Amino acid sequence: MAFDECPPHPATRKYMQDSVDRTTRWLERCKREMKRLNGREDAINPKQMLFGINQGGTFEDIRIEHAKRIREMDLDGYALGGLAVGESHEEMYRIIEETVPYLPEDKPTYLMGVGTPMNILEAVERGVDFFDCVYPARNGRHGHAYTNHGKMNLQNARYELDDRPLDETCDCPVCRHYSRAYIRHLLKAREMLGLRLMVTHNLYFYNTMMEEIRDAIEKGCFQEYKKKKAEQLEEDHK
Ligand SMILES: [Zn+2]
């Protein structure tokens, strides 16, 4: 990823324009420097890719102009940065929808720092290919498990004697070997294994969802998949 500025939200139009111009100048320098280094005989990783990061906050015209500028630089991939920084989900979806069409379709598009499973489904629908986010790990450490029947809070007393796995439809190593009651006990006892089990299950959940998304896109049934998954995610966990 080229170095960029992730401007605060909200920011004034003037601040945003200056910031985006600076981000573009940094990207140009970055591309030049990478080319120079890769031309050396002792280049450490000459095949390393370079992604540019689109910025512009919630000013769609600045976003679009910036997307056009970095697109001309013919980079390996493009990221949308500066989202999920305090704006509403609806605003974020609007910006993705308006910006992605100005990025090349044959290069990967990466939405930085997003998000919930629902955020991911909405962004994929708008043309995003990949993501990174702390949620599965951070929420897991706080006792929140993502399941195919809604999100569950393992701190809740009702799981104290619950012998079932976190998610009965999950075949991750955690769900095959440990019960809700046991993991809850580990969390309560502040035993590190509890955190590891929660994070393992949540990452498995996210990875599985991404596999399902790719599969649904290939089969041409992403819309049906998204609808079904959204219903599952919104269930009240029992
Ligand atoms: Zn699991």
Side-chain angles (χ1 to χ4, degrees):
M1 308 307 302
F3 192 50
D4 68 329
E5 183 189 5
C6 182
H9 176 83
T12 64
R13 191 179 170 83
K14 164 94 174 84
Y15 186 97
M16 191 60 74
Q17 188 61 63
D18 290 348
S19 167
V20 168
D21 291 342
R22 185 181 311 118
T23 286
T24 309
R25 291 194 301 275
W26 279 341
L27 174 60
E28 287 160 356
R29 281 165 62 186
C30 183
K31 195 180 175 192
R32 268 201 310 278
E33 181 64 5
M34 198 162 124
K35 192 172 172 210
R36 187 187 72 80
L37 290 172
N38 283 345
R40 288 168 51 141
E41 264 184 22
D42 60 347
I44 293 168
N45 182 5
K47 296 244 168 78
Q48 186 175 196
M49 291 184 178
L50 177 64
F51 277 44
I53 306 176
N54 173 259
Q55 290 286 356
T58 50
F59 299 100
E60 64 268 23
D61 57 329
I62 299 179
R63 283 267 175 198
I64 290 169
E65 271 316 300
H66 190 227
K68 288 179 183 167
R69 279 171 81 184
I70 60 177
R71 180 189 182 134
E72 283 167 13
M73 295 173 68
D74 192 28
L75 302 164
D76 299 301
Y78 292 86
L80 294 165
L83 289 170
V85 291
E87 80 286 359
S88 67
H89 284 168
E90 285 63 36
E91 266 187 305
M92 175 172 82
Y93 299 149
R94 175 177 64 80
I95 290 298
I96 297 169
E97 200 164 316
E98 281 164 349
T99 312
V100 168
Y102 294 92
L103 295 172
E105 219 174 298
D106 59 344
K107 299 281 179 72
T109 305
Y110 159 33
L111 178 56
M112 304 180 81
V114 175
T116 65
M118 202 58 226
N119 290 158
I120 291 178
L121 290 168
E122 294 290 349
V124 166
E125 187 175 22
R126 290 162 175 82
V128 175
D129 301 299
F130 57 90
F131 305 86
D132 78 291
C133 189
V134 298
Y135 283 167
R138 187 202 286 159
N139 288 341
R141 294 196 304 271
H142 291 158
H144 298 279
Y146 291 96
T147 80
N148 286 314
H149 300 282
K151 215 163 113 177
M152 66 193 291
N153 181 359
L154 220 63
Q155 306 284 352
N156 199 311
R158 76 211 233 202
Y159 301 119
E160 193 173 1
L161 300 170
D162 194 333
D163 279 338
R164 290 174 294 173
L166 291 174
D167 185 341
E168 285 168 294
T169 64
C170 176
D171 54 5
C172 87
V174 179
C175 290
R176 278 187 280 121
H177 296 290
Y178 303 92
S179 69
R180 297 173 183 177
Y182 179 60
I183 299 171
R184 184 177 183 279
H185 157 74
L186 293 175
L187 294 174
K188 288 282 167 194
R190 299 185 179 278
E191 168 57 55
M192 187 58 77
L193 178 62
L195 309 186
R196 292 182 56 194
L197 295 179
M198 291 296 292
V199 172
T200 301
H201 164 81
N202 278 351
L203 289 175
Y204 193 93
F205 178 89
Y206 267 66
N207 274 332
T208 304
M209 189 180 86
M210 295 311 290
E211 278 173 16
E212 290 167 354
I213 288 173
R214 288 193 290 276
D215 195 47
I217 290 172
E218 266 172 28
K219 289 184 177 139
C221 59
F222 176 74
Q223 289 305 329
E224 291 95 304
Y225 170 76
K226 184 190 164 212
K227 189 165 174 284
K228 192 189 91 197
K229 198 74 183 174
E231 283 166 8
Q232 289 178 355
L233 292 169
E234 277 156 27
E235 276 181 44
D236 246 346
H237 198 275
K238 296 279 180 320

